[in-house]
Each structure stands twice: as C-alpha cells, then as structure tokens.
Amino acid sequence: MLTAIVLIDTEPNLIPEVASHVASLKGVSEVYSVTGKADLVAMVRVDEHDDLADVIADKISKVQGVLRTETFIAFRAYSDVDLEQAFALGLDD
C-alpha cells in the first residue's frame, strides 16, 4: 500500500466544504484542518502508484475551492499506530 500526505490550499471560505468533499473520495483515508502552511492535510492510501495520480491530480485538485496541492509520498512507516492499522485491515470483531 502506498501512502501520500497531501497539503491542500483552499479558498478560505470553503475550507469545511472542501474538507468534506475530499474526505468522501475513494483513496482518501483522513482529512485534517491544520494550522501552518496549508489549510488541509489529506492522507491518501492506494494500492498502485498510478492510483495516486487518479486520486490527487484527477480528483482532489479538481474539487471546487482547491487552489493548489503539494504531495509527499511516504517511503516507510515507523509509527506503531500505522503498523497496527495496516495489519488490522479487514479484521472486525
């Protein structure tokens, strides 16, 4: 599984609407409103490298109110929380 961290700049008056729309997209696992350089941070998790372009370039960047995106592709996960979530996929009690 590939993970990308996407910083999203939005029109200021549309932050909640953009966040909701982006969160509903297939491949987007989480969206956070944040302080600092970006308005939103989205976590994108996909199976194939080509799927990143589909989710980020073809979907997120075309959401009304999105001004620009900056994407960071994760190489390796070091957090125990991330590793536990990855191994727990599909295991419902």
Side-chain angles (χ1 to χ4, degrees):
M1 176 169 286
L2 297 168
T3 300
I5 299 97
V6 184
L7 306 183
I8 304 170
D9 293 329
T10 70
E11 293 180 27
N13 60 325
L14 294 177
I15 292 171
E17 292 83 359
V18 170
S20 292
H21 190 145
V22 170
S24 72
L25 297 173
K26 183 178 180 187
V28 176
S29 61
E30 301 122 82
V31 177
Y32 302 97
S33 61
V34 296
T35 61
K37 181 180 175 182
D39 298 310
L40 301 170
V41 174
M43 301 300 293
V44 175
R45 300 177 200 279
V46 295
D47 292 325
E48 301 288 329
H49 190 267
D50 288 343
D51 295 336
L52 289 173
D54 181 50
V55 174
I56 299 164
D58 295 339
K59 293 186 179 134
I60 292 175
S61 66
K62 293 181 180 172
V63 170
Q64 182 180 0
V66 171
L67 301 175
R68 74 189 61 75
T69 63
E70 184 176 0
T71 302
F72 299 88
I73 298 174
F75 293 125
R76 188 172 290 139
Y78 292 98
S79 167
D80 290 339
V81 173
D82 290 341
L83 295 173
E84 288 173 16
Q85 289 177 348
F87 288 112
L89 289 176
L91 299 177
D92 293 338
D93 290 313

